[in-house]
mmCIF file of all heavy atoms in Angstrom:
data_model
loop_
_atom_site.group_PDB
_atom_site.id
_atom_site.type_symbol
_atom_site.label_atom_id
_atom_site.label_comp_id
_atom_site.label_asym_id
_atom_site.label_seq_id
_atom_site.Cartn_x
_atom_site.Cartn_y
_atom_site.Cartn_z
ATOM 1 N N ILE A 67 95.163 78.877 110.010
ATOM 2 C CA ILE A 67 95.039 78.165 108.807
ATOM 3 C C ILE A 67 95.772 76.843 108.736
ATOM 4 O O ILE A 67 95.241 75.857 108.341
ATOM 5 C CB ILE A 67 95.641 79.126 107.596
ATOM 6 C CG1 ILE A 67 94.598 80.301 107.472
ATOM 7 C CG2 ILE A 67 95.669 78.283 106.403
ATOM 8 C CD1 ILE A 67 95.167 81.374 106.652
ATOM 9 N N SER A 68 96.944 76.790 109.417
ATOM 10 C CA SER A 68 97.726 75.512 109.623
ATOM 11 C C SER A 68 96.913 74.490 110.390
ATOM 12 O O SER A 68 96.823 73.353 109.947
ATOM 13 C CB SER A 68 99.064 75.707 110.333
ATOM 14 O OG SER A 68 99.696 76.814 109.831
ATOM 15 N N GLN A 69 96.284 74.936 111.391
ATOM 16 C CA GLN A 69 95.426 74.063 112.332
ATOM 17 C C GLN A 69 94.275 73.450 111.416
ATOM 18 O O GLN A 69 93.970 72.203 111.482
ATOM 19 C CB GLN A 69 94.798 74.759 113.432
ATOM 20 C CG GLN A 69 95.763 75.015 114.550
ATOM 21 C CD GLN A 69 95.008 75.473 115.840
ATOM 22 O OE1 GLN A 69 93.993 74.931 116.169
ATOM 23 N NE2 GLN A 69 95.477 76.538 116.440
ATOM 24 N N ILE A 70 93.614 74.312 110.594
ATOM 25 C CA ILE A 70 92.510 73.774 109.713
ATOM 26 C C ILE A 70 93.027 72.812 108.668
ATOM 27 O O ILE A 70 92.551 71.755 108.578
ATOM 28 C CB ILE A 70 91.918 75.068 109.045
ATOM 29 C CG1 ILE A 70 91.173 75.901 109.995
ATOM 30 C CG2 ILE A 70 90.917 74.495 107.994
ATOM 31 C CD1 ILE A 70 90.725 77.245 109.520
ATOM 32 N N GLU A 71 94.293 73.084 108.116
ATOM 33 C CA GLU A 71 94.848 72.198 107.049
ATOM 34 C C GLU A 71 95.272 70.965 107.697
ATOM 35 O O GLU A 71 95.099 69.884 107.154
ATOM 36 C CB GLU A 71 96.002 72.911 106.376
ATOM 37 C CG GLU A 71 95.423 73.955 105.340
ATOM 38 C CD GLU A 71 96.457 74.864 104.835
ATOM 39 O OE1 GLU A 71 97.672 74.822 105.304
ATOM 40 O OE2 GLU A 71 96.236 75.620 103.918
ATOM 41 N N ASN A 72 95.841 71.030 108.989
ATOM 42 C CA ASN A 72 96.264 69.771 109.614
ATOM 43 C C ASN A 72 95.082 68.847 109.910
ATOM 44 O O ASN A 72 95.234 67.595 110.140
ATOM 45 C CB ASN A 72 97.069 70.080 110.878
ATOM 46 C CG ASN A 72 98.398 70.698 110.479
ATOM 47 O OD1 ASN A 72 98.873 70.590 109.429
ATOM 48 N ND2 ASN A 72 99.000 71.371 111.447
ATOM 49 N N ALA A 73 93.861 69.420 110.048
ATOM 50 C CA ALA A 73 92.711 68.619 110.337
ATOM 51 C C ALA A 73 91.944 68.304 108.979
ATOM 52 O O ALA A 73 90.764 68.073 108.990
ATOM 53 C CB ALA A 73 91.745 69.423 111.290
ATOM 54 N N ALA A 74 92.630 68.254 107.854
ATOM 55 C CA ALA A 74 92.126 67.969 106.570
ATOM 56 C C ALA A 74 91.181 68.908 106.020
ATOM 57 O O ALA A 74 90.389 68.683 105.048
ATOM 58 C CB ALA A 74 91.534 66.537 106.559
ATOM 59 N N GLY A 75 91.168 70.107 106.567
ATOM 60 C CA GLY A 75 90.329 71.210 106.070
ATOM 61 C C GLY A 75 91.097 71.952 104.920
ATOM 62 O O GLY A 75 92.149 71.620 104.598
ATOM 63 N N ARG A 76 90.377 72.948 104.378
ATOM 64 C CA ARG A 76 90.971 73.631 103.280
ATOM 65 C C ARG A 76 90.736 75.121 103.436
ATOM 66 O O ARG A 76 89.615 75.488 103.689
ATOM 67 C CB ARG A 76 90.351 73.041 102.032
ATOM 68 C CG ARG A 76 90.272 73.960 100.834
ATOM 69 C CD ARG A 76 89.549 73.225 99.679
ATOM 70 N NE ARG A 76 89.523 74.094 98.484
ATOM 71 C CZ ARG A 76 88.960 73.747 97.405
ATOM 72 N NH1 ARG A 76 88.399 72.565 97.181
ATOM 73 N NH2 ARG A 76 89.046 74.535 96.427
ATOM 74 N N VAL A 77 91.813 75.968 103.282
ATOM 75 C CA VAL A 77 91.617 77.367 103.137
ATOM 76 C C VAL A 77 92.244 77.749 101.829
ATOM 77 O O VAL A 77 93.451 77.625 101.715
ATOM 78 C CB VAL A 77 92.278 78.082 104.369
ATOM 79 C CG1 VAL A 77 92.089 79.603 104.162
ATOM 80 C CG2 VAL A 77 91.617 77.621 105.663
ATOM 81 N N ASP A 78 91.490 78.317 100.881
ATOM 82 C CA ASP A 78 92.055 78.705 99.585
ATOM 83 C C ASP A 78 92.571 80.045 99.648
ATOM 84 O O ASP A 78 93.539 80.363 98.897
ATOM 85 C CB ASP A 78 90.959 78.579 98.557
ATOM 86 C CG ASP A 78 90.461 77.140 98.399
ATOM 87 O OD1 ASP A 78 91.114 76.383 97.702
ATOM 88 O OD2 ASP A 78 89.461 76.732 98.922
ATOM 89 N N VAL A 79 91.894 80.942 100.272
ATOM 90 C CA VAL A 79 92.241 82.422 100.194
ATOM 91 C C VAL A 79 92.172 83.002 101.530
ATOM 92 O O VAL A 79 91.197 82.652 102.335
ATOM 93 C CB VAL A 79 91.294 83.144 99.142
ATOM 94 C CG1 VAL A 79 91.692 84.555 99.128
ATOM 95 C CG2 VAL A 79 91.369 82.561 97.808
ATOM 96 N N ALA A 80 93.081 83.989 101.904
ATOM 97 C CA ALA A 80 92.963 84.787 102.990
ATOM 98 C C ALA A 80 92.765 86.267 102.684
ATOM 99 O O ALA A 80 93.468 86.733 101.746
ATOM 100 C CB ALA A 80 94.209 84.658 103.930
ATOM 101 N N VAL A 81 91.817 86.912 103.198
ATOM 102 C CA VAL A 81 91.628 88.322 102.898
ATOM 103 C C VAL A 81 91.697 89.089 104.208
ATOM 104 O O VAL A 81 91.035 88.845 105.203
ATOM 105 C CB VAL A 81 90.246 88.591 102.293
ATOM 106 C CG1 VAL A 81 90.082 90.124 101.943
ATOM 107 C CG2 VAL A 81 90.102 87.631 100.974
ATOM 108 N N VAL A 82 92.626 90.071 104.284
ATOM 109 C CA VAL A 82 92.824 90.865 105.539
ATOM 110 C C VAL A 82 92.663 92.319 105.275
ATOM 111 O O VAL A 82 93.240 92.901 104.334
ATOM 112 C CB VAL A 82 94.309 90.550 105.997
ATOM 113 C CG1 VAL A 82 94.605 91.446 107.141
ATOM 114 C CG2 VAL A 82 94.371 89.119 106.477
ATOM 115 N N CYS A 83 91.819 92.987 106.080
ATOM 116 C CA CYS A 83 91.693 94.477 106.227
ATOM 117 C C CYS A 83 92.722 94.841 107.235
ATOM 118 O O CYS A 83 92.523 94.589 108.400
ATOM 119 C CB CYS A 83 90.291 94.846 106.493
ATOM 120 S SG CYS A 83 90.276 96.579 107.188
ATOM 121 N N GLY A 84 93.848 95.474 106.892
ATOM 122 C CA GLY A 84 94.877 95.839 107.733
ATOM 123 C C GLY A 84 94.763 97.348 108.134
ATOM 124 O O GLY A 84 95.697 97.903 108.756
ATOM 125 N N HIS A 85 93.640 97.934 107.857
ATOM 126 C CA HIS A 85 93.365 99.384 108.130
ATOM 127 C C HIS A 85 93.122 99.644 109.557
ATOM 128 O O HIS A 85 92.611 98.850 110.223
ATOM 129 C CB HIS A 85 92.378 99.988 107.199
ATOM 130 C CG HIS A 85 92.553 99.664 105.789
ATOM 131 N ND1 HIS A 85 91.896 98.701 105.041
ATOM 132 C CD2 HIS A 85 93.565 100.109 104.882
ATOM 133 C CE1 HIS A 85 92.343 98.606 103.795
ATOM 134 N NE2 HIS A 85 93.444 99.436 103.729
ATOM 135 N N GLN A 86 93.515 100.804 109.992
ATOM 136 C CA GLN A 86 93.117 101.187 111.360
ATOM 137 C C GLN A 86 91.537 101.350 111.592
ATOM 138 O O GLN A 86 90.848 101.720 110.652
ATOM 139 C CB GLN A 86 93.764 102.519 111.814
ATOM 140 C CG GLN A 86 95.321 102.451 111.625
ATOM 141 C CD GLN A 86 95.904 101.398 112.612
ATOM 142 O OE1 GLN A 86 95.411 101.099 113.698
ATOM 143 N NE2 GLN A 86 96.998 100.865 112.057
ATOM 144 N N PRO A 87 91.072 100.967 112.775
ATOM 145 C CA PRO A 87 89.640 101.088 113.041
ATOM 146 C C PRO A 87 89.272 102.536 112.880
ATOM 147 O O PRO A 87 89.991 103.496 113.299
ATOM 148 C CB PRO A 87 89.509 100.735 114.552
ATOM 149 C CG PRO A 87 90.764 100.013 114.890
ATOM 150 C CD PRO A 87 91.847 100.482 113.922
ATOM 151 N N GLY A 88 88.079 102.781 112.199
ATOM 152 C CA GLY A 88 87.700 104.149 111.944
ATOM 153 C C GLY A 88 88.220 104.703 110.696
ATOM 154 O O GLY A 88 87.752 105.812 110.282
ATOM 155 N N ALA A 89 89.300 104.132 110.012
ATOM 156 C CA ALA A 89 89.717 104.744 108.798
ATOM 157 C C ALA A 89 88.780 104.367 107.706
ATOM 158 O O ALA A 89 88.012 103.395 107.776
ATOM 159 C CB ALA A 89 91.151 104.040 108.441
ATOM 160 N N SER A 90 88.698 105.237 106.760
ATOM 161 C CA SER A 90 87.708 105.051 105.648
ATOM 162 C C SER A 90 88.240 104.080 104.547
ATOM 163 O O SER A 90 88.604 104.525 103.517
ATOM 164 C CB SER A 90 87.324 106.433 105.082
ATOM 165 O OG SER A 90 88.406 107.047 104.458
ATOM 166 N N CYS A 91 88.391 102.897 104.927
ATOM 167 C CA CYS A 91 88.815 101.909 103.919
ATOM 168 C C CYS A 91 87.624 101.381 103.145
ATOM 169 O O CYS A 91 86.569 101.450 103.536
ATOM 170 C CB CYS A 91 89.647 100.779 104.499
ATOM 171 S SG CYS A 91 88.671 99.705 105.639
ATOM 172 N N HIS A 92 87.942 100.651 101.943
ATOM 173 C CA HIS A 92 86.772 100.086 101.158
ATOM 174 C C HIS A 92 86.695 98.561 101.366
ATOM 175 O O HIS A 92 86.898 97.834 100.382
ATOM 176 C CB HIS A 92 87.020 100.461 99.702
ATOM 177 C CG HIS A 92 86.811 101.963 99.449
ATOM 178 N ND1 HIS A 92 85.651 102.516 99.643
ATOM 179 C CD2 HIS A 92 87.690 102.921 99.162
ATOM 180 C CE1 HIS A 92 85.794 103.848 99.339
ATOM 181 N NE2 HIS A 92 87.070 104.064 99.037
ATOM 182 N N CYS A 93 86.647 98.159 102.576
ATOM 183 C CA CYS A 93 86.542 96.632 102.909
ATOM 184 C C CYS A 93 85.231 96.145 103.325
ATOM 185 O O CYS A 93 84.913 95.018 103.141
ATOM 186 C CB CYS A 93 87.576 96.344 103.953
ATOM 187 S SG CYS A 93 89.220 96.799 103.558
ATOM 188 N N TRP A 94 84.421 97.087 104.004
ATOM 189 C CA TRP A 94 83.348 96.514 104.732
ATOM 190 C C TRP A 94 82.037 97.354 104.393
ATOM 191 O O TRP A 94 81.990 98.346 103.702
ATOM 192 C CB TRP A 94 83.464 96.834 106.226
ATOM 193 C CG TRP A 94 84.768 96.255 106.759
ATOM 194 C CD1 TRP A 94 85.892 96.836 107.020
ATOM 195 C CD2 TRP A 94 84.993 94.852 107.112
ATOM 196 N NE1 TRP A 94 86.870 95.919 107.482
ATOM 197 C CE2 TRP A 94 86.309 94.678 107.501
ATOM 198 C CE3 TRP A 94 84.249 93.680 107.068
ATOM 199 C CZ2 TRP A 94 86.888 93.577 107.859
ATOM 200 C CZ3 TRP A 94 84.773 92.480 107.504
ATOM 201 C CH2 TRP A 94 86.170 92.411 107.803
ATOM 202 N N GLU A 95 80.930 96.651 104.829
ATOM 203 C CA GLU A 95 79.634 97.292 104.720
ATOM 204 C C GLU A 95 79.161 97.693 103.347
ATOM 205 O O GLU A 95 79.231 96.759 102.453
ATOM 206 C CB GLU A 95 79.367 98.366 105.773
ATOM 207 C CG GLU A 95 79.831 97.826 107.142
ATOM 208 C CD GLU A 95 79.121 98.504 108.289
ATOM 209 O OE1 GLU A 95 78.615 99.606 108.243
ATOM 210 O OE2 GLU A 95 79.172 97.904 109.378
ATOM 211 N N ASP A 96 78.861 98.965 103.076
ATOM 212 C CA ASP A 96 78.356 99.304 101.737
ATOM 213 C C ASP A 96 79.384 99.408 100.711
ATOM 214 O O ASP A 96 79.177 99.677 99.522
ATOM 215 C CB ASP A 96 77.466 100.519 101.809
ATOM 216 C CG ASP A 96 78.125 101.672 102.538
ATOM 217 O OD1 ASP A 96 79.260 101.434 102.961
ATOM 218 O OD2 ASP A 96 77.587 102.800 102.651
ATOM 219 N N SER A 97 80.655 99.103 101.161
ATOM 220 C CA SER A 97 81.761 99.041 100.106
ATOM 221 C C SER A 97 82.538 97.786 100.423
ATOM 222 O O SER A 97 83.694 97.856 100.845
ATOM 223 C CB SER A 97 82.584 100.317 100.307
ATOM 224 O OG SER A 97 83.901 100.126 99.885
ATOM 225 N N PRO A 98 81.950 96.637 100.045
ATOM 226 C CA PRO A 98 82.424 95.292 100.602
ATOM 227 C C PRO A 98 83.693 94.829 99.913
ATOM 228 O O PRO A 98 83.605 93.710 99.168
ATOM 229 C CB PRO A 98 81.236 94.442 100.281
ATOM 230 C CG PRO A 98 80.455 95.014 99.230
ATOM 231 C CD PRO A 98 80.727 96.450 99.277
ATOM 232 N N GLY A 99 84.749 95.619 99.969
ATOM 233 C CA GLY A 99 85.939 95.160 99.246
ATOM 234 C C GLY A 99 86.544 93.822 99.715
ATOM 235 O O GLY A 99 87.196 93.046 98.913
ATOM 236 N N ILE A 100 86.229 93.422 100.945
ATOM 237 C CA ILE A 100 86.702 91.974 101.477
ATOM 238 C C ILE A 100 86.085 90.944 100.447
ATOM 239 O O ILE A 100 86.806 89.972 100.098
ATOM 240 C CB ILE A 100 86.038 91.719 102.795
ATOM 241 C CG1 ILE A 100 86.794 92.632 103.906
ATOM 242 C CG2 ILE A 100 86.043 90.308 103.239
ATOM 243 C CD1 ILE A 100 88.042 92.033 104.436
ATOM 244 N N LEU A 101 84.887 91.172 100.029
ATOM 245 C CA LEU A 101 84.272 90.129 99.138
ATOM 246 C C LEU A 101 84.491 90.452 97.675
ATOM 247 O O LEU A 101 84.819 89.506 96.859
ATOM 248 C CB LEU A 101 82.678 90.132 99.223
ATOM 249 C CG LEU A 101 82.202 89.944 100.765
ATOM 250 C CD1 LEU A 101 80.751 90.023 100.909
ATOM 251 C CD2 LEU A 101 82.731 88.674 101.335
ATOM 252 N N TRP A 102 84.501 91.731 97.333
ATOM 253 C CA TRP A 102 84.623 92.046 95.852
ATOM 254 C C TRP A 102 86.110 91.843 95.497
ATOM 255 O O TRP A 102 86.450 91.411 94.399
ATOM 256 C CB TRP A 102 84.246 93.464 95.613
ATOM 257 C CG TRP A 102 82.724 93.658 95.502
ATOM 258 C CD1 TRP A 102 81.902 92.694 95.279
ATOM 259 C CD2 TRP A 102 82.038 94.936 95.579
ATOM 260 N NE1 TRP A 102 80.628 93.152 95.231
ATOM 261 C CE2 TRP A 102 80.685 94.548 95.366
ATOM 262 C CE3 TRP A 102 82.416 96.253 95.714
ATOM 263 C CZ2 TRP A 102 79.729 95.540 95.422
ATOM 264 C CZ3 TRP A 102 81.318 97.231 95.812
ATOM 265 C CH2 TRP A 102 80.011 96.837 95.571
ATOM 266 N N GLY A 103 87.093 92.089 96.378
ATOM 267 C CA GLY A 103 88.396 91.869 96.082
ATOM 268 C C GLY A 103 88.796 90.390 95.762
ATOM 269 O O GLY A 103 89.405 90.114 94.723
ATOM 270 N N ALA A 104 88.264 89.574 96.579
ATOM 271 C CA ALA A 104 88.463 88.092 96.376
ATOM 272 C C ALA A 104 87.672 87.611 95.100
ATOM 273 O O ALA A 104 88.168 86.839 94.324
ATOM 274 C CB ALA A 104 88.013 87.271 97.610
ATOM 275 N N ALA A 105 86.487 88.098 94.903
ATOM 276 C CA ALA A 105 85.600 87.610 93.860
ATOM 277 C C ALA A 105 86.196 88.032 92.462
ATOM 278 O O ALA A 105 86.215 87.294 91.571
ATOM 279 C CB ALA A 105 84.174 88.257 94.070
ATOM 280 N N SER A 106 86.774 89.309 92.417
ATOM 281 C CA SER A 106 87.262 89.667 91.126
ATOM 282 C C SER A 106 88.609 88.965 90.721
ATOM 283 O O SER A 106 88.867 88.760 89.692
ATOM 284 C CB SER A 106 87.473 91.248 91.075
ATOM 285 O OG SER A 106 88.523 91.634 91.897
ATOM 286 N N ARG A 107 89.393 88.627 91.835
ATOM 287 C CA ARG A 107 90.681 87.977 91.581
ATOM 288 C C ARG A 107 90.478 86.490 91.242
ATOM 289 O O ARG A 107 91.241 85.907 90.424
ATOM 290 C CB ARG A 107 91.582 88.092 92.724
ATOM 291 C CG ARG A 107 93.020 87.663 92.407
ATOM 292 C CD ARG A 107 94.005 87.835 93.421
ATOM 293 N NE ARG A 107 94.290 89.223 93.746
ATOM 294 C CZ ARG A 107 95.406 89.568 94.439
ATOM 295 N NH1 ARG A 107 96.216 88.666 94.900
ATOM 296 N NH2 ARG A 107 95.629 90.823 94.670
ATOM 297 N N PHE A 108 89.436 85.797 91.827
ATOM 298 C CA PHE A 108 89.276 84.348 91.599
ATOM 299 C C PHE A 108 88.015 84.075 90.856
ATOM 300 O O PHE A 108 87.600 82.816 90.863
ATOM 301 C CB PHE A 108 89.280 83.651 92.893
ATOM 302 C CG PHE A 108 90.600 83.990 93.741
ATOM 303 C CD1 PHE A 108 90.454 84.862 94.834
ATOM 304 C CD2 PHE A 108 91.812 83.452 93.361
ATOM 305 C CE1 PHE A 108 91.593 85.155 95.510
ATOM 306 C CE2 PHE A 108 92.930 83.731 94.052
ATOM 307 C CZ PHE A 108 92.868 84.619 95.124
#
Side-chain angles (χ1 to χ4, degrees):
I67 291 165
S68 314
Q69 282 192 48
I70 293 168
E71 286 171 348
N72 291 340
R76 153 178 183 183
V77 179
D78 295 279
V79 178
V81 184
V82 169
C83 162
H85 307 109
Q86 295 303 324
S90 62
C91 66
H92 293 293
C93 300
W94 305 100
E95 307 208 340
D96 49 0
S97 157
I100 289 275
L101 307 178
W102 282 345
S106 70
R107 193 178 286 197
F108 305 106

